[in-house]
Amino acid sequence: MHLMLPALTFRTPSGDIDRPTTAAYAYRAAQTWAHRFILSGTTTGGHQTSEADRAMVVELWAETIGVDRLTACCWTAADITHATAAGVVPMIVLRDLASDHDVLNLFASLPRPSYLFSHPEFSPTTLTPQLAATAQAAGILPAAAKVSKVRPDTIAALRTATGPDFTLWDGTARHIAESLTAGADGIVTAPLTHLPDPFPTDNVTELQAAIDATQHHLDTQHGRDARTAALFAMATPRHPSCGG
């Protein structure tokens, strides 16, 4: 099972990226078994920051842990260009796309490999099974996608439409076993972004219990900003004990 964690970006009181604290957090994250970290996603407010800040986050993480376990949430064309140049696989947000035709044109223009982030909050047109099947038949389907706000039966239909070589991440971790049974390769979970110590193992039952404990707390917060603030409050980054 693939585990993807949205990565936190720490900031100074003046609002600048706190490079030492973020680097220490990246170092801690790399010690877990998580397969990939999503940079500049919604959990850390990436869609509300500047292209320059998002580029800095990519460079900081790449310098700290390398690029093999990174994907950068890309909100603009410049984000895609920068991530690709840095050797980080871009995760392109489906954003403000009015029709399947617009989505297919986007797919055809993307670098390879690319991932997708499909969420109805950001686009009226999302990655449906029918759209995925059309893109697959045309040879323009990207390598993977994180899909949010979909039910397990839609996960199953997406798996059928995309085939076994496509990597599919469920954007919710409220029912991991059900998502995996439906055909997801893994899950994306914000409730582990604070990097609990000890970090849960890859046993689905243990992982679900750890996620549920934090999710219960997050569900008492009202709105994304409050949930994000709660995650930052739980995160206690420590600088690595050795340099280099």
Side-chain angles (χ1 to χ4, degrees), residues 25 28 37 39 48 66 70 77 95 102 118 127 192 205 234 238:
Y25 171 83
R28 288 176 56 213
F37 307 102
L39 310 182
Q48 298 169 327
L70 303 181
R95 198 172 194 188
D102 291 342
S118 175
L127 185 67
L192 293 182
T205 301
M234 287 186 284
R238 298 178 296 277

Short mmCIF file of all heavy atoms in Angstrom, two decimals, residues 25 28 37 39 48 66 70 77 95 102 118 127 192 205 234 238:
data_model
loop_
_atom_site.label_atom_id
_atom_site.label_comp_id
_atom_site.label_asym_id
_atom_site.label_seq_id
_atom_site.Cartn_x
_atom_site.Cartn_y
_atom_site.Cartn_z
N TYR A 25 11.77 19.30 9.56
CA TYR A 25 10.55 18.52 9.37
C TYR A 25 10.71 17.54 8.20
O TYR A 25 10.31 16.38 8.29
CB TYR A 25 9.39 19.49 9.13
CG TYR A 25 8.09 18.84 8.70
CD1 TYR A 25 7.22 18.29 9.63
CD2 TYR A 25 7.74 18.79 7.35
CE1 TYR A 25 6.02 17.72 9.24
CE2 TYR A 25 6.56 18.22 6.94
CZ TYR A 25 5.69 17.68 7.89
OH TYR A 25 4.51 17.10 7.48
N ARG A 28 12.75 14.62 9.29
CA ARG A 28 11.94 13.69 10.10
C ARG A 28 11.00 12.88 9.22
O ARG A 28 10.83 11.67 9.41
CB ARG A 28 11.12 14.46 11.14
CG ARG A 28 11.93 15.04 12.30
CD ARG A 28 11.02 15.86 13.21
NE ARG A 28 9.90 15.07 13.70
CZ ARG A 28 8.69 15.56 13.95
NH1 ARG A 28 8.43 16.85 13.70
NH2 ARG A 28 7.74 14.79 14.41
N PHE A 37 5.77 12.52 -0.52
CA PHE A 37 5.31 13.71 0.17
C PHE A 37 4.83 14.72 -0.87
O PHE A 37 5.52 14.97 -1.86
CB PHE A 37 6.43 14.30 1.03
CG PHE A 37 7.05 13.30 1.96
CD1 PHE A 37 8.28 12.73 1.65
CD2 PHE A 37 6.39 12.87 3.09
CE1 PHE A 37 8.85 11.77 2.47
CE2 PHE A 37 6.94 11.91 3.92
CZ PHE A 37 8.17 11.36 3.61
N LEU A 39 4.16 18.37 -1.88
CA LEU A 39 4.57 19.72 -1.52
C LEU A 39 3.54 20.74 -2.01
O LEU A 39 3.00 20.61 -3.11
CB LEU A 39 5.94 20.04 -2.14
CG LEU A 39 7.05 19.01 -1.90
CD1 LEU A 39 8.35 19.49 -2.53
CD2 LEU A 39 7.23 18.72 -0.41
N GLN A 48 -2.65 29.17 -1.86
CA GLN A 48 -2.75 30.58 -1.48
C GLN A 48 -1.39 31.27 -1.44
O GLN A 48 -1.30 32.46 -1.13
CB GLN A 48 -3.41 30.68 -0.10
CG GLN A 48 -4.83 30.12 -0.08
CD GLN A 48 -5.38 29.98 1.32
OE1 GLN A 48 -4.65 29.71 2.27
NE2 GLN A 48 -6.69 30.15 1.45
N GLY A 66 16.43 14.81 -1.20
CA GLY A 66 16.45 14.32 -2.57
C GLY A 66 15.06 14.38 -3.18
O GLY A 66 14.10 14.80 -2.55
N LEU A 70 9.30 12.82 -3.73
CA LEU A 70 8.57 14.08 -3.77
C LEU A 70 7.64 14.15 -4.96
O LEU A 70 7.91 13.61 -6.02
CB LEU A 70 9.54 15.26 -3.84
CG LEU A 70 10.59 15.39 -2.75
CD1 LEU A 70 11.44 16.63 -2.99
CD2 LEU A 70 9.95 15.42 -1.37
N ALA A 77 1.06 26.98 -14.61
CA ALA A 77 2.00 26.43 -15.59
C ALA A 77 3.44 26.62 -15.14
O ALA A 77 4.29 25.75 -15.37
CB ALA A 77 1.77 27.10 -16.94
N ARG A 95 -7.89 22.50 -12.49
CA ARG A 95 -8.33 23.79 -11.96
C ARG A 95 -9.11 24.57 -13.01
O ARG A 95 -8.60 24.85 -14.10
CB ARG A 95 -7.11 24.59 -11.51
CG ARG A 95 -7.42 25.73 -10.59
CD ARG A 95 -6.14 26.35 -10.03
NE ARG A 95 -6.45 27.23 -8.91
CZ ARG A 95 -5.56 28.02 -8.32
NH1 ARG A 95 -4.32 28.04 -8.74
NH2 ARG A 95 -5.93 28.79 -7.32
N ASP A 102 -11.45 20.33 -22.39
CA ASP A 102 -10.39 21.13 -21.78
C ASP A 102 -9.41 20.24 -21.01
O ASP A 102 -8.19 20.46 -21.04
CB ASP A 102 -10.98 22.17 -20.83
CG ASP A 102 -11.74 23.27 -21.55
OD1 ASP A 102 -11.53 23.43 -22.77
OD2 ASP A 102 -12.53 23.97 -20.90
N SER A 118 -7.36 15.69 -8.51
CA SER A 118 -8.74 15.94 -8.91
C SER A 118 -9.59 16.18 -7.68
O SER A 118 -9.71 15.30 -6.81
CB SER A 118 -9.27 14.75 -9.71
OG SER A 118 -10.64 14.91 -10.01
N LEU A 127 -11.74 14.19 -12.70
CA LEU A 127 -11.36 12.94 -13.35
C LEU A 127 -12.42 11.88 -13.09
O LEU A 127 -12.43 11.23 -12.05
CB LEU A 127 -10.00 12.47 -12.84
CG LEU A 127 -9.44 11.21 -13.54
CD1 LEU A 127 -9.10 11.51 -14.99
CD2 LEU A 127 -8.22 10.67 -12.79
N LEU A 192 -1.70 12.46 9.36
CA LEU A 192 -0.38 12.00 9.78
C LEU A 192 0.71 13.02 9.47
O LEU A 192 1.90 12.75 9.68
CB LEU A 192 -0.03 10.66 9.13
CG LEU A 192 -0.87 9.45 9.54
CD1 LEU A 192 -0.36 8.19 8.83
CD2 LEU A 192 -0.86 9.25 11.05
N THR A 205 -4.88 -1.94 9.87
CA THR A 205 -5.66 -1.72 11.09
C THR A 205 -4.98 -0.71 12.00
O THR A 205 -5.63 0.22 12.52
CB THR A 205 -5.87 -3.04 11.84
OG1 THR A 205 -6.54 -3.96 10.98
CG2 THR A 205 -6.68 -2.84 13.10
N MET A 234 0.19 20.31 16.49
CA MET A 234 0.61 18.97 16.89
C MET A 234 2.02 18.64 16.42
O MET A 234 2.67 17.75 16.98
CB MET A 234 -0.37 17.93 16.33
CG MET A 234 -1.71 17.92 17.04
SD MET A 234 -2.76 16.56 16.44
CE MET A 234 -3.28 17.22 14.87
N ARG A 238 11.94 18.75 15.18
CA ARG A 238 13.22 18.83 15.87
C ARG A 238 14.32 18.84 14.81
O ARG A 238 14.25 18.11 13.82
CB ARG A 238 13.42 17.63 16.80
CG ARG A 238 12.37 17.55 17.90
CD ARG A 238 12.59 16.31 18.74
NE ARG A 238 12.40 15.09 17.97
CZ ARG A 238 11.22 14.53 17.75
NH1 ARG A 238 10.12 15.08 18.22
NH2 ARG A 238 11.12 13.40 17.06
#
